[in-house]
């Protein structure tokens, strides 16, 4: 399933890059993280890079991941693969908030030297997932209830704006790509594959924000979303919470397909309000 999901994500990313608002190409020399794939548009040429920021971690072995038939196999540098593994451990709470990243233990666990591990930690520090603390080293960032509430308020405003713009300006191909990812997410839900579900879930939010082709909106959204991974992940803890979140995503896709900007903005806002309610007792 991981190969199929990654292939789906990469194809959707390329569609959004090629078809910006109203079917026009997105701006030249602009980097986007869409569906877990960093894509750089330079006139008609795209250079696809392994993402150090978003959710490119679909497969533990990227060299085996699905790739377009007419393109090269994309291999990520070791430090990016290490960042993927660390990001997953933090997202799932296997390295808990407030914990120090033990270099010796992590090098042994991941089978790498300290150099790629330290480079990966710097990437995660840039994302806001970890903090570099004097005399302690790298520590997983601990978010307070206020941190979470403040972040979700801003995400809500950004995603509601993005929903309205996506419906009025997004291309048909881009909307179809998001719908395809939704179907993939639903397959993960049926299989109860929570981590794969979460990554597709987050990619759908990122994709909606990317649809209008507004680089400032994309940047602002990514800056907040990247440090909220564990909080968003635990929002699906328990069958009832997970089912409620899935129902909200079903409504999002219906609104997006209908290009009903107000309906999409409403359900996105409701979804983020409910996210706080689902996680507040777990913080």
């Amino acid at each position: 399933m991981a190969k199929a999901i990654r292939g789906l994500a990469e194809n959707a990313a390329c569609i959004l890059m090629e078809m910006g608002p109203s079917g026009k190409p997105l701006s030249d020399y602009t980097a986007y993280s869409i569906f877990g794939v960093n894509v750089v548009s330079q006139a008609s040429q795209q250079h696809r890079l392994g993402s150090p920021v978003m959710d490119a971690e679909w497969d533990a072995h990227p060299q085996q991941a699905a790739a377009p038939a007419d393109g090269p196999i994309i291999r990520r540098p070791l430090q990016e693969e290490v960042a993927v593994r660390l990001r997953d451990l933090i997202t799932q709470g296997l390295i808990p908030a407030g914990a120090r990243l033990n270099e010796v233990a992590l090098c042994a666990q991941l089978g790498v030297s300290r150099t790629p591990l330290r480079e990966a930690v710097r990437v995660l520090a840039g994302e806001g997932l970890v903090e570099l603390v004097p005399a302690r080293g790298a520590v997983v960032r601990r978010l307070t209830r206020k941190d979470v509430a403040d972040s979700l308020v801003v995400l809500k405003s950004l995603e509601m704006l993005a929903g309205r713009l996506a419906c009025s300006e997004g291309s048909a191909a881009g909307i179809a790509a998001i719908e395809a990812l939704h179907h993939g997410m639903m397959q993960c839900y049926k299989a109860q594959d929570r981590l794969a579900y979460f990554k597709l879930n987050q990619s759908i939010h990122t994709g909606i924000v990317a649809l209008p082709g507004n680089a400032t909106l994309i940047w602002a959204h990514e800056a907040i979303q990247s440090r909220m991974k564990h909080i968003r992940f635990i929002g699906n803890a328990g069958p009832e919470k997970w089912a409620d979140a899935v129902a909200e995503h079903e409504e999002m896709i219906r609104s997006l397909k209908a290009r009903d900007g107000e309906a999409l903005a409403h359900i996105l806002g409701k979804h983020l309000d409910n996210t706080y309610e689902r996680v507040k007792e777990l913080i």
Side-chain angles (χ1 to χ4, degrees), residues 6-20 24-26 32-41 44-49 66-72 74 171 173-174 177-178 181 210:
R6 181 171 173 80
L8 184 66
E10 290 182 337
N11 289 338
C14 290
I15 288 170
L16 277 182
M17 282 306 305
E18 293 166 2
M19 302 294 290
K24 298 177 182 178
L26 299 179
Y32 296 91
S33 290
I34 303 172
F35 302 137
V37 181
N38 256 10
V39 186
V40 177
S41 172
S44 61
Q45 181 182 16
Q46 284 93 33
H47 302 281
R48 289 172 37 228
L49 308 175
D70 58 350
I74 306 300
S171 68
I178 293 175
L181 282 177

Side-chain angles (χ1 to χ4, degrees), residues 156-180:
K156 175 182 175 179
S157 296
L158 294 173
E159 292 199 10
M160 290 180 71
L161 171 61
R164 294 186 179 97
L165 293 175
C167 289
S168 64
E169 300 179 16
S171 68
I175 291 173
I178 293 175
E179 184 183 4

Side-chain angles (χ1 to χ4, degrees), residues 203-216:
S203 294
I204 289 166
H205 285 272
T206 302
I208 291 172
V209 172
L211 264 179
N214 185 316
T216 302

Side-chain angles (χ1 to χ4, degrees), residues 121-248:
V121 168
R122 283 196 291 271
V123 169
L124 299 190
E127 296 174 14
L129 281 177
V130 303
E131 297 177 290
L132 302 179
V133 180
R136 285 200 70 196
V139 176
V140 177
R141 182 185 295 273
R142 185 187 299 278
L143 297 178
T144 66
R145 276 195 187 184
K146 186 175 188 320
D147 292 332
V148 172
D150 289 350
S151 296
L152 289 174
V153 164
V154 179
L155 276 180
K156 175 182 175 179
S157 296
L158 294 173
E159 292 199 10
M160 290 180 71
L161 171 61
R164 294 186 179 97
L165 293 175
C167 289
S168 64
E169 300 179 16
S171 68
I175 291 173
I178 293 175
E179 184 183 4
L181 282 177
H182 174 77
H183 290 317
M185 184 190 76
M186 293 303 293
Q187 291 176 15
C188 294
Y189 176 62
K190 290 175 182 176
Q192 295 292 285
D193 186 339
R194 192 170 161 211
L195 184 59
Y197 167 92
F198 171 77
K199 290 176 179 179
L200 276 173
N201 176 300
Q202 293 296 279
S203 294
I204 289 166
H205 285 272
T206 302
I208 291 172
V209 172
L211 264 179
N214 185 316
T216 302
L217 180 59
I218 293 168
W219 166 79
H221 182 264
E222 182 175 318
I224 300 171
Q225 179 161 270
S226 63
R227 72 177 200 158
M228 296 286 289
K229 293 185 183 299
H230 176 62
I231 297 299
R232 301 296 293 270
F233 182 76
I234 63 175
N236 298 326
E240 185 175 346
K241 291 180 179 180
W242 197 355
D244 288 345
V246 167
E248 290 160 11

Side-chain angles (χ1 to χ4, degrees), residues 25 52 104-105 110 117 131 161 212:
V104 174
L110 301 177
L117 180 69
E131 297 177 290
L161 171 61

